[in-house]
């Protein structure tokens, strides 16, 4: 929307300039009409951008659970920057301790290891200690007498029909499966992080190129405007330079959105929502 408004103001300034030049007898009505057509297109772009902002805010309200309510304004794009240390490749040694899928796999492996220890312990002898206190009277109306019985029961599994061996084999298989699942998820997570880092680097370079292109286009438009005022450039050249600058302004906005998405994907891949990718002035 900001880019569309800048383009609309530039188109309005061009129309005003050409109307003055027509009054001076330098330009014709056709030149003014071309500029007015460009202005109408810029205004249409502004209206479309305003609608896009309203739709985006509505979707944001649904995402944050505030449908039908006011949604906070997003961070201005001028503050978008990137910490180079946050996306520097570390050869796959990223700290992925915050990823929920890896934490779940580690918990599953711990549970499988505990089951394996329990299955192996089934072969060990078990002992139970018991005691019993009884009271009785030898004859009616006699006094009560007490008797205490204490014993130890030792069980040694010898003939189990293969039940203990089968349970141990099953526990070992489950432990191996949990370990392999954890290793597979860890490899996939490292690959995801490296892919996200590459996407951030590519988006950063694309944003830099878009900003450089916009600066060049705006300088070219400024120079052509001066040449036009001096009668050294045509209406078509001026309008073409203005259209190119407007297109590149939108391109810069799209590149900023792409970088924000890449940063969010990297933060998700790292599994560290409490320590998001920091912003600095390195980009």
């Amino acid at each position: 929307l900001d880019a569309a408004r800048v383009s609309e103001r530039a188109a309005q300034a061009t129309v005003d300039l050409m109307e003055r030049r027509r009054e001076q007898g330098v330009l014709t009505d056709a030149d003014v009409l071309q500029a007015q057509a460009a202005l109408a297109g810029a205004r249409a772009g502004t209206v479309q951008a305003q609608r896009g902002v309203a739709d985006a805010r509505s979707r944001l309200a649904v995402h944050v659970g505030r449908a039908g309510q006011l949604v906070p304004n997003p961070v201005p794009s001028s503050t978008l920057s990137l910490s180079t240390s946050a996306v520097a490749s570390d050869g796959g040694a990223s700290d992925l301790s915050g990823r929920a899928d890896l934490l779940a796999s580690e918990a599953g492996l711990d549970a499988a290891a505990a089951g394996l220890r329990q299955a192996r312990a089934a072969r060990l002898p078990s002992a139970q200690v018991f005691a019993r206190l009884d009271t009785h009277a030898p004859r009616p109306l006699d006094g009560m007498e007490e008797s205490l019985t204490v014993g130890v029961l030792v069980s040694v599994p010898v003939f189990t029909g293969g039940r203990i061996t089968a349970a141990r084999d099953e526990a070992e298989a489950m432990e191996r499966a949990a370990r392999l699942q954890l290793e597979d998820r860890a490899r996939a997570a490292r690959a995801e992080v490296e892919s996200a880092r590459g996407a951030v680097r590519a988006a950063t370079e694309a944003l830099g190129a878009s900003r450089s292109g916009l600066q060049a286009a705006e300088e070219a438009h400024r120079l052509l405007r001066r040449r036009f005022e001096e009668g050294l450039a045509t209406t078509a050249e001026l309008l073409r330079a203005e259209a190119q600058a407007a297109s590149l302004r939108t391109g810069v906005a799209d590149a900023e959105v792409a970088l924000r998405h890449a940063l969010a994907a990297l933060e998700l891949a790292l599994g560290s929502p409490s320590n998001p990718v920091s912003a600095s002035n390195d980009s």
Side-chain angles (χ1 to χ4, degrees):
L1 178 58
D2 293 338
R5 286 171 173 168
V6 171
S7 300
E8 182 180 355
R9 289 195 296 268
Q12 181 64 61
T14 300
V15 170
D16 296 340
L17 173 62
M18 291 191 176
E19 287 179 347
R20 291 196 303 270
R21 300 283 287 175
R22 181 184 59 181
E23 294 174 356
Q24 297 171 358
V26 179
L27 298 179
T28 64
D29 291 341
D31 296 318
V32 176
L33 290 175
Q34 290 182 24
Q36 290 176 346
L39 175 59
R43 287 175 176 169
T46 301
V47 172
Q48 184 178 2
Q50 288 174 339
R51 179 179 178 181
V53 169
D55 292 342
R57 290 178 65 84
S58 298
R59 293 194 300 271
L60 178 60
V62 173
H63 284 306
V64 300
R66 301 182 63 174
Q69 305 178 26
L70 295 178
V71 180
N73 288 324
V75 178
S77 59
S78 59
T79 63
L80 178 63
S81 59
L82 178 65
S83 174
T84 54
S85 60
V87 296
S89 176
D90 54 7
S94 300
D95 181 13
L96 303 177
S97 58
R99 286 184 60 115
D101 55 346
L102 296 184
L103 292 176
S105 295
E106 290 175 356
L109 178 58
D110 293 340
L116 178 59
R117 289 192 298 270
Q118 181 179 5
R120 288 174 175 172
R123 282 290 185 186
L124 300 176
S126 60
Q128 298 179 2
V129 179
F130 62 90
R132 179 175 178 176
L133 177 64
D134 296 319
T135 60
H136 68 284
R139 290 182 298 275
L141 303 179
D142 285 352
M144 303 295 294
E145 296 181 359
E146 297 179 351
S147 62
L148 176 64
T149 304
V150 179
V152 177
L153 174 63
V154 178
S155 301
V156 180
V158 179
F159 303 104
T160 61
R163 175 179 54 83
I164 294 180
T165 301
R168 184 195 62 193
D169 293 342
E170 180 183 3
E172 289 178 350
M174 293 180 64
E175 194 270 346
R176 286 195 301 270
R179 187 178 302 279
L180 291 175
Q181 184 182 49
L182 175 59
E183 293 175 356
D184 180 69
R185 287 186 175 179
R187 286 192 297 268
R190 286 192 293 268
E192 184 180 352
V193 169
E194 287 308 308
S195 177
R197 290 184 189 279
V200 170
R201 287 191 290 267
T204 303
E205 294 176 359
L207 177 57
S210 298
R211 287 173 173 171
S212 298
L214 176 59
Q215 291 177 356
E218 289 180 340
E219 180 63 16
H221 176 255
R222 186 186 67 82
L223 294 176
L224 271 175
R225 184 182 181 86
R226 180 176 298 178
R227 288 173 59 84
F228 179 80
E229 293 174 349
E230 297 173 354
L232 301 177
T234 64
T235 301
E237 290 175 339
L238 179 59
L239 294 177
R240 186 163 52 248
E242 189 173 291
Q244 183 180 16
S247 176
L248 288 175
R249 290 189 193 99
T250 304
V252 169
D254 293 339
E256 290 178 348
V257 171
L259 178 55
R260 290 182 184 275
H261 287 173
L263 289 171
L266 176 58
E267 179 181 331
L268 182 63
L270 290 172
S272 55
S274 60
N275 296 310
V277 177
S278 59
S280 70
N281 295 323
D282 297 331
S283 64

